[in-house]
Structures are given as C-alpha cells and as structure tokens.
Amino acid sequence: MNSCDTNMVDEILKLKKEKNAVILAHNYQVGEVQDIADFVGDSLRLSQQAANTGAEVIVFCGVHFMAETAAILSPQKTVLLPDIHAGCPMADMVTADKLREFKAEHPGVPVVTYVNSSADVKAESDYCCTSANAVKVVEAIDADEIIFAPDQHLGHYVSTKTSKRIHLWNGFCPTHRRITAQEVSKQKEAHPGALVVVHPECLSETIALADAVASTEGILRYCNETDAGEFIIGTEVGILHRLQKENPGKKFYPAYERAVCPNMKRTTLEKVLFAMQDMEHVIKVPQDVAARAKLAIDRMLEIR
Ligand code: 13P
Ligand code: SF4
C-alpha cells in the first residue's frame, strides 16, 4: 500500500468512528476495499449484517441491489453506495412488469427471486433467496411448481436438487458465463491435483466438472475446511484475495482469469472515502415497495 492509500485508510477509519458507520464489502471487491471493511461476505451474510448492525450508516461496497436490500432491511439507517453506477446486469434482466406477465402465465405458482434483483422485482415475489440458500428456500415452499427469476443457471442448478418443477426466467450473469467448461478443463490439465469449486451462477457444463458448488461464502468455507492443497475457483476473481489471505499454505487458480465483474470493481478506496465525506450516494427504496420486498426477504431469512 502506498502512502496515499495509507492516508486514505486513516481518514476512512476516522470517519467511520465519527459517523458511527459500518463498512460491508462483498467477496468480489478489490483487495484494498475488502481489507478496510468490518465484514466481508456473500449476499446472504451481508444482508444479515445489514439487518443486525447497530451502526447508523452502512457503507455498502458492492452493487446496487445489495445496497437496496440493506436499505429495505434497515430503513432507519443511511445506506451509502460509493459508486452509483455499480449495478448488476443480471438484476436488470427482469422488471416488475415482465415478472407480473410471467406470473399471469403461471397462476398461483409461488415466485422465488434471487437477491440479484431490484426492490420492485422483490416486491412482486413471494420469497427471496441467495445462492447460499436457493435450494433450501425452494424445498421449504409448500408447492410442486416454482417460478424462479432471474438467473436461469442458478435456477437450473436448483432444479437438479429438487423434485419440484421450476419455471425459469432467462437471465444470466455475463461474468460467470465466461467461465466455460473448456476453460475449466484447461486448468484441470494444468493442475491435475486441484479440486474444482464453482459458483451456481456458472453454466451447467461448468458445474458438471466441479467437485463442489457453493455461494462465495460457501466456496471460502469449503476451501478453508478441505484438506487439499490446490483449488481451481470458478467464480469472479476477487474472491481469490480472501482465499489466499485465509489459506496462505494453499494454492488457488482462477478457472478463468478474465472472469471480472466490472461493476464490483467500480468501488475504490477513494470512492469509499468520498462517499463518507459527502454522505453519498444514499440508497432509498419507496416505503410501499420496501414493505412488500421486505416480506420476501424476511421469509427467506426465517428459513433455517
Ligand atoms: P454470492 O451471494 O454467492 O456472494 O453471489 C453474489 C453474486 O453477485 C454472484 O455473482
Ligand atoms: Fe451481477 Fe454477475 Fe457481477 Fe454478481 S458477478 S454482481 S451476478 S454481474
């Protein structure tokens, strides 16, 4: 870290105290942002932290839907997104209007919506889920058919783990779609002793090559707890920072080194500092939308 970064970190830590703020960072954030965060985790863990924090200000180092979820769970807190343009293309692949049309084609079928979605879409849903609990949420619902939006790949993965009929939306993550079976095979050839661990947003052909499939936090847990010394990681490359930090004796290879989410990389130390100095960008969700979206999120959080 250069002296300019050290000054910025000092200033961020000072402002954090002054403003009674907590910094939450997703596992895909750049290393230096992860390193100043109070909590680093997957969408589920971060939404739980947002729901339970005693801080007055939540600085959300992630993408827009994550900050929105925090704002829904903590309406009395100020939620800041350091870069207002940090969105999620998958979340933009479904709108509330289009989801209503889809629901009309499948009357009475409960809707499970991946947390990677807007508040408006969550408000149209019965349950929310994350990649960590999608199978559990679908299994917990008393219905034989489920509408699953927006990620077709996570939805397909869930369908292989349940006997329920899943009606898939056709969204996808452009970053995970780049991690092809061909790229994984190349890495397997280069590192024959390594275990392959992938995120369920990956293509089904990629998932078929994996030893384990898990959310980002699940990937960390698996690699921390498994005795093997080498792992091929099929998700956004930002996760390698924590993997390597928590397991200095193990080796981690990205399944595809260009699997970089440009939106996750928009947040920098400088933007975190500016966000706290200027108290920008405040993420707010209209009360009626937030109330309906919260029902879907609370139903998810209640499923153990
Ligand atoms: P996790 O909830 O597994 O961290 O995933 C979030 C995400 O955006 C994956 O692309
Ligand atoms: Fe969205 Fe994919 Fe980026 Fe996750 S990695 S935030 S799903 S675009």
Side-chain angles (χ1 to χ4, degrees):
M1 198 181 281
N2 61 36
S3 64
C4 178
D5 283 356
T6 314
N7 290 345
M8 268 197 284
V9 170
D10 291 346
E11 192 58 26
I12 289 169
L13 297 180
K14 196 173 110 214
L15 284 169
K16 209 163 67 112
K17 262 200 202 136
E18 276 172 27
K19 300 197 184 246
N20 186 17
V22 67
I23 301 179
L24 305 183
H26 188 264
N27 287 321
Y28 297 159
Q29 290 290 295
V30 294
E32 53 276 25
V33 169
Q34 292 192 31
D35 291 344
I36 46 121
D38 296 287
F39 299 100
V40 185
D42 65 357
S43 310
L44 179 62
R45 192 153 169 245
L46 294 178
S47 56
Q48 285 164 332
Q49 290 294 347
N52 298 328
T53 180
E56 286 163 74
V57 176
I58 300 173
V59 184
F60 214 115
C61 304
V63 291
H64 191 270
F65 75 81
M66 296 180 174
E68 244 187 7
T69 306
I72 293 165
L73 290 171
S74 304
Q76 71 292 2
K77 313 239 156 93
T78 303
V79 179
L80 302 177
L81 185 65
D83 187 316
I84 195 61
H85 300 295
C88 169
M90 181 208 284
D92 295 339
M93 290 176 190
V94 57
T95 62
D97 280 350
K98 291 279 175 214
L99 184 56
R100 268 193 294 273
E101 282 172 24
F102 200 56
K103 279 163 67 169
E105 289 167 25
H106 304 283
V109 176
V111 179
V112 176
T113 296
Y114 191 24
V115 68
N116 297 37
S117 56
S118 68
D120 284 333
V121 166
K122 288 186 181 76
E124 279 301 321
S125 311
D126 299 293
Y127 291 81
C128 188
C129 77
T130 73
S131 57
N133 60 18
V135 175
K136 214 190 261 182
V137 169
V138 166
E139 281 293 88
I141 300 171
D142 186 16
D144 297 331
E145 292 183 40
I146 303 285
I147 291 173
F148 192 94
D151 186 13
Q152 60 181 291
H153 302 297
L154 175 61
H156 177 267
Y157 173 70
V158 171
S159 77
T160 66
K161 301 281 167 199
T162 176
S163 57
K164 296 179 198 238
R165 181 160 177 225
I166 312 285
H167 301 278
L168 294 175
W169 195 264
N170 61 3
F172 61 89
C173 165
T175 301
H176 283 84
R177 216 165 58 154
R178 304 187 84 186
I179 307 169
T180 59
Q182 211 185 353
E183 294 298 337
V184 174
S185 301
K186 267 197 238 164
Q187 289 303 320
K188 274 169 77 105
E189 255 173 58
H191 312 287
L195 292 175
V196 178
V197 198
V198 309
H199 195 276
E201 284 178 18
C202 287
L203 301 158
S204 56
E205 308 89 86
T206 301
I207 288 180
L209 297 176
D211 296 290
V213 183
S215 75
T216 56
E217 202 60 32
I219 292 175
L220 277 141
R221 205 177 315 117
Y222 179 84
C223 296
N224 292 357
E225 290 171 3
T226 307
D227 257 355
E230 292 183 88
F231 300 86
I232 295 163
I233 305 297
T235 192
E236 210 273 352
V237 296
I239 198 172
L240 271 85
H241 179 74
R242 245 187 97 189
L243 281 167
Q244 206 62 80
K245 200 166 150 181
E246 293 177 14
N247 300 279
K250 297 183 182 179
K251 287 196 173 131
F252 299 97
Y253 313 106
Y256 184 51
E257 62 188 14
R258 290 196 207 136
V260 179
C261 173
N263 287 285
M264 283 284 182
K265 300 304 187 242
R266 281 180 172 272
T267 311
T268 58
L269 273 185
E270 191 177 47
K271 286 183 193 168
V272 174
L273 175 61
F274 292 172
M276 294 175 88
Q277 284 174 335
D278 303 339
M279 293 302 279
E280 275 185 348
H281 302 272
V282 178
I283 303 301
K284 280 200 162 80
V285 180
Q287 225 176 347
D288 55 323
V289 175
R292 287 186 295 132
K294 188 169 183 301
L295 281 177
I297 299 168
D298 284 345
R299 284 192 196 115
M300 164 184 86
L301 294 175
E302 277 157 23
I303 295 169
R304 298 270 155 211

